[in-house]
Amino acid sequence: MVVLDKVLQKKHLSNIQELVLKLCWKGYTYAEIAENSGYDDDYIRDVGFRLWQTLSKALGENIAKSNVKTVLRRYYSNLAPAESQLSTTTAFQIPSSQQQQDWGEAIDVSMFYGRTVEQALLRQWIVDEKCRLVMLLGMGGIGKTALSVKVAEQLQSQFDFVIWRSIRNRPPIVDLMRELILFFSQQTEANCPETIDGQISCLIKYLRSQRCLILLDNIESILQSGETAGHYCAGYEGYGQLLRRVGDEVHQSCLVFTSRETPSGFTAREGETLPVRSLQLTGLSQVESQQILATKGLVDSTVECDKLIQRYTGNPLALKIVATAIQCLFDGNISQFLQQSPVVFGDLWEILEQQFHRLSANEKQVMYSLAVKQDWVTLKELQQYLIPQISERELLEALLSLQRRSLIEQQSGNYTQQTVVMEYVTDKLMGQVCSKIPVGEIQ
Ligand SMILES: Nc1ncnc2c1ncn2[C@@H]1O[C@H](COP(=O)(O)OP(=O)(O)OP(=O)(O)O)[C@@H](O)[C@H]1O
Ligand SMILES: [Mg+2]
């Protein structure tokens, strides 16, 4: 309500609007609200529709039932400390009325831990060094999306426009470009060009004349699977053109994107003194991981808990999944879980399946060999393990590609996998071996 008073200023919500907002906030459906309040279903829907319109207008961004909580929470955290009673948000500013923001389906990051080094580095790149293109890279669940939203929230006052979009549903590039151009022109660009090149030129015109922050999440969705990492799917090459030109051409804006894999053409462009940078995310620290476990009610600081965090290398999604399993299936007993449970299951298995299915035949071979070896190996050792053998060039290409997909670890010429990945690949390998043994042969 503090936020609403602030954004609606003299206007007040009617009693029914307030009721709809409160119950939507608690996760009720329109039908449930209607049932609770004795009003007609359609009437409540209509109240909701008008309410989101009023709030969208007042806040200058699209608000719907699905994102109202996230948006209002964000505004709350951006209010001055005296108003929000939060002393930790002093660095933020209330967006001025000139600022335009569209957060799309950005996730709620009010419970966000750590990543202080990454946040400082991104601020340095984006604000101080005026980088034009920044990539956040890392394996599934490591926290790319969460960090992208957090950083955008923190840096919003530095930009005239902020827009956050997920590419997970693979929108055609022309649709995305039209949306960006209309947003940055405040719906005034009447002659949106037809060609990709023309659209990108038009976009860059706006990126030059004003400070715009664009965040694109899940770029890996438009990269091909079954090939060396980084090639665009047929029909989506325009995204490559967009990233290349935003990185290469002079303007005063920044495009940040997240991906599980590095898109091709990126490596040659990025560099410490260039306006194109990439940040590889690794797991959270012990303390931050404990905070994640605590959000699921698992409060523990024993050696067992440390083992659990190490096993999942501080991957926040993995920690959330296992904390829930430990609570529900093991009455919160971590050591029982560690002794009895498979390392990879549920959503975590799903994510690794998705990542594994994208690999080329050579990459899969390398993954199996690394899992069999269970330890650091050199290039030469690895080559001996591979059946069928592949050339040194092919092996190098596969290793490079796996690194760009964040699936292997590299240290001075030695390679291995993270525990979770290794367990997953071992399970897969065992599954393949078992399926090849005729029924009845295992006694
Ligand atoms: N620093 C953090 N503090 C608290 N929660 C976090 C943090 N980082 C990530 N999370 C949570 O962990 C989960 C996974 O994070 P996120 O969705 O950002 O991962 P991702 O790298 O984008 O994964 P994917 O590749 O599948 O898109 C989310 O529920 C997110 O809110
Ligand atoms: Mg994500």
Side-chain angles (χ1 to χ4, degrees), residues 107-108 111-115 138-147 168 217-218 220 260 284 292 316-317 320 351:
I107 59 171
D108 180 5
M111 304 282 249
F112 186 86
Y113 307 108
R115 298 270 185 233
M139 68 172 297
I142 202 73
K144 302 177 292 295
T145 302
L147 181 62
R168 196 184 292 281
D217 196 25
N218 307 115
E220 75 282 346
R260 290 181 188 169
L284 296 175
I292 299 265
L317 178 75
K320 281 183 166 185
I351 286 186

Side-chain angles (χ1 to χ4, degrees), residues 97 106 146:
S97 55

